[in-house]
Amino acid sequence: MRITNIRRAPKPNLTGFDPKAFARAAGPPANDPWARAEAWRYTGPFTRWNRFRGSFPGLGIATVAFAAYCGYEYMFLNDDHEHGERHGESHH
């Protein structure tokens, strides 16, 4: 007995929905008529980095000023209030 390969036709689709055709249609369009009108949103001052940088306008200056103040306080504003004794009931 000889074994033969029988090719069967694909089962008919009862709904008429073709997933391969849907995947082809869902891809990027071949010619987007709005591409030129939307291009300005992602160039020049509207790039992602420029939009992020503008979110916190004074953060860089504030960070430097705070670090400078912390350094000044550490170096020059020492707490010399202790006179060799512990703070307690006899203070003042």
Side-chain angles (χ1 to χ4, degrees):
M1 180 166 188
R2 187 172 174 189
I3 300 175
T4 59
N5 288 337
I6 300 174
R7 296 187 185 239
R8 296 185 179 161
K11 294 181 182 179
N13 191 344
L14 298 176
T15 61
F17 178 75
D18 186 10
K20 291 181 182 178
F22 180 74
R24 283 191 305 269
N31 183 15
D32 186 8
W34 291 100
R36 215 178 82 204
E38 295 289 320
W40 67 270
R41 295 179 187 259
Y42 308 105
T43 59
F46 303 107
T47 60
R48 181 174 291 167
W49 173 249
N50 284 338
R51 284 183 285 151
F52 175 73
R53 192 174 62 174
S55 298
F56 307 103
L59 183 63
I61 294 172
T63 303
V64 171
F66 180 71
Y69 174 75
C70 287
Y72 172 76
E73 183 178 10
Y74 179 77
M75 297 297 287
F76 299 110
L77 300 179
N78 294 330
D79 186 19
D80 294 333
H81 188 66
E82 289 187 37
H83 303 288
E85 58 190 52
R86 305 280 294 161
H87 289 263
E89 297 173 11
S90 63
H91 186 67
H92 275 226

